[in-house]
Amino acid sequence: MQELQIPNGYFQLWNMYLIEQGLDFYTLEFLAPYRDDLKHVLQLPIDTQSPFSFFYSILQLTREQLDCPQLTIEMAKRIRPEHFGVLGYMATRSNSVAEALQYIVRFSRLVIDGADAIPLQMYQQGNEIWLSWQFLDEKYALLHEMTMAAMVHLAKQIFPDQPQLLNIQMAHRPQMAQYHYQKFYGCEVLFDQPRYAYVMGVDSLTMKSVLADPSLMQLLLKQAEEAIALKPHYESVLQQIHTAVAEYLRLHAVAPKIDQIADELHVSTRTLQRQLQQLESSFKAVLESERMKRCEQLLQHNTSLTEIAMRLGYSDQSALARAYKAYSGQTLLQRKQQLKDQSEP
């Protein structure tokens, strides 16, 4: 499975932040092991992509060593269209908010791509417009924060009146003091939500861009379509099943049945069983894998073992402990102590 790829523009934003602080990454001791790789990435075209894991390592180190937990927001304040590549220019040259959002949904792979990339959805609920996507894994929290903040800040440059943000929803826990979020977004920011989402007023869709350019849009659209056509096709059926089971565990705090997941994926139970068989897997294997991942997340939240067992559909704590030992090779108590030691300074 190909690793998630993120825009090289994000590395450029990171470097811009350092330069504006009077810092040179090549002289920072904590970045010594990464200097050559950073030099290479920063020389690549801004609209190409690099592995997320590398970006995550650099981002975490910089946040910690420079004592800047709000780094993602500081980087987002420096966003320009080119940092999102052709999609950034398409959003800038769109005629309206509605058109820009349609292109973002359609061509999001040009910004973030890989087998773990989650498709965006746009839909209306009453007088609200939702641009949302599913939770995948807490390890992508900083990436979601970076992308969400960058999109909002770029929108402020494109639409002078600014789309009316009703709230921002994040599926993970806060990564910095909450006042940083409130100050940046200027609206309510909710955490530990079922999905990631921008929620805005329906009237925002008709807002016009001061930079709209229909002629240039045709050229950009052709370029985007050609770039998407060159993207690899991922065998994502198994990942979709895993994601649906993970979402069900998070939202309902109970283990799903196979027919419930089939309904979520809009296929018959028989079709889902056949797909899993063709992929040399089974619903039992998928469910057990996602239960254990969810168990890890709940352990990190200091949830009691009894409650974890209940949320994951085990008969009792002992049944959970046996399943975890069989899956990971260590006991729940050992893992809980491990997590406790890691969280202590």
Side-chain angles (χ1 to χ4, degrees):
M1 186 176 290
Q2 185 181 335
E3 181 181 355
L4 205 65
Q5 302 289 302
I6 58 102
N8 284 336
Y10 282 14
F11 287 91
Q12 297 289 346
L13 288 169
W14 168 83
N15 195 37
M16 285 170 63
Y17 172 79
L18 290 184
I19 291 171
E20 290 178 20
Q21 306 309 306
L23 300 172
D24 180 350
F25 79 85
Y26 222 77
T27 64
L28 293 174
E29 193 60 36
F30 67 89
L31 293 173
Y34 303 99
R35 284 172 186 160
D36 291 342
D37 289 333
L38 278 168
K39 184 178 179 181
H40 171 70
V41 170
L42 290 169
Q43 289 173 340
L44 292 172
I46 197 170
D47 59 347
T48 55
Q49 296 169 317
S50 293
F52 163 72
S53 59
F54 180 45
F55 179 70
Y56 179 77
S57 299
I58 299 303
L59 202 63
Q60 281 286 61
L61 270 173
T62 307
R63 291 173 80 223
E64 293 166 5
Q65 295 296 321
L66 300 186
D67 191 22
C68 184
Q70 73 278 18
L71 180 60
T72 51
I73 283 178
E74 295 301 324
M75 290 165 59
K77 291 176 182 176
R78 292 153 175 82
I79 191 76
R80 296 195 301 267
E82 58 264 34
H83 293 116
F84 279 141
V86 67
L87 185 53
Y89 288 116
M90 291 178 77
T92 303
R93 302 300 175 180
S94 295
N95 182 57
S96 65
V97 170
E99 185 176 79
L101 290 177
Q102 287 167 2
Y103 287 135
I104 289 168
V105 170
R106 182 177 173 186
F107 296 110
S108 61
R109 288 186 66 193
L110 297 180
V111 178
I112 296 174
D113 193 28
D116 274 356
I118 301 293
L120 306 184
Q121 294 180 313
M122 185 172 71
Y123 51 89
Q124 184 173 345
Q125 290 186 354
N127 292 321
E128 298 176 349
I129 296 297
W130 286 58
L131 180 65
S132 74
W133 58 98
Q134 293 180 343
F135 172 87
L136 182 61
D137 195 296
E138 192 111 7
K139 68 184 178 183
Y140 297 126
L142 289 177
L143 178 61
H144 288 302
E145 296 211 344
M146 176 73 218
T147 305
M148 294 181 83
M151 286 176 65
V152 167
H153 203 68
L154 186 59
K156 292 178 182 178
Q157 301 171 35
I158 303 170
F159 302 100
D161 294 333
Q162 299 179 23
Q164 181 195 2
L165 277 175
L166 302 178
N167 62 69
I168 295 285
Q169 301 192 16
M170 299 192 185
H172 58 258
R173 294 169 291 174
Q175 303 294 298
M176 65 190 90
Q178 293 204 24
Y179 74 86
H180 289 300
Y181 297 101
Q182 303 295 342
K183 182 179 179 182
F184 178 81
Y185 287 109
C187 67
E188 185 177 21
V189 183
L190 307 170
F191 297 92
D192 291 314
Q193 298 300 300
R195 300 170 67 88
Y196 290 94
Y198 300 95
V199 184
M200 63 190 78
V202 70
D203 292 344
S204 299
L205 292 180
T206 58
M207 288 183 177
K208 302 297 183 181
S209 168
V210 295
L211 302 173
D213 187 334
S215 299
L216 181 56
M217 265 313 296
Q218 293 306 310
L219 296 174
L220 292 171
L221 181 58
K222 183 180 179 182
Q223 185 180 345
E225 288 172 340
E226 290 173 351
I228 282 288
L230 294 174
K231 290 286 185 184
H233 174 72
Y234 299 114
E235 295 296 331
S236 58
V237 172
L238 187 58
Q239 183 59 51
Q240 290 174 10
I241 298 169
H242 273 273
T243 301
V245 171
E247 279 282 287
Y248 197 99
L249 287 167
R250 275 173 44 81
L251 294 175
H252 302 284
V254 65
K257 306 291 185 186
I258 188 170
D259 58 321
Q260 292 168 319
I261 296 303
D263 286 344
E264 292 278 339
L265 298 173
H266 307 293
V267 298
S268 69
T269 301
R270 186 183 294 274
T271 296
L272 182 56
Q273 289 171 327
R274 186 174 65 252
Q275 288 175 337
L276 285 165
Q277 188 175 14
Q278 290 170 345
L279 293 164
E280 298 182 352
S281 186
S282 67
F283 185 72
K284 181 180 179 182
V286 172
L287 177 59
E288 204 60 18
S289 172
E290 293 305 326
R291 276 169 147 181
M292 294 300 100
K293 291 178 187 176
R294 184 62 180 149
C295 178
E296 286 271 326
Q297 293 168 2
L298 293 171
L299 283 172
Q300 291 176 29
H301 288 208
N302 292 319
T303 309
S304 72
L305 298 184
T306 302
E307 186 174 349
I308 293 175
M310 181 184 70
R311 288 194 193 186
L312 299 182
Y314 291 100
S315 56
D316 54 33
Q317 182 179 323
S318 298
L320 169 65
R322 288 193 297 273
Y324 190 85
K325 180 73 184 299
Y327 180 83
S328 68
Q330 65 180 156
T331 69
L332 270 174
L333 293 177
Q334 287 172 334
R335 183 57 179 153
K336 196 169 185 179
Q337 185 60 47
Q338 240 178 29
L339 292 169
K340 182 181 178 183
D341 293 342
Q342 290 171 7
S343 66
E344 292 175 349

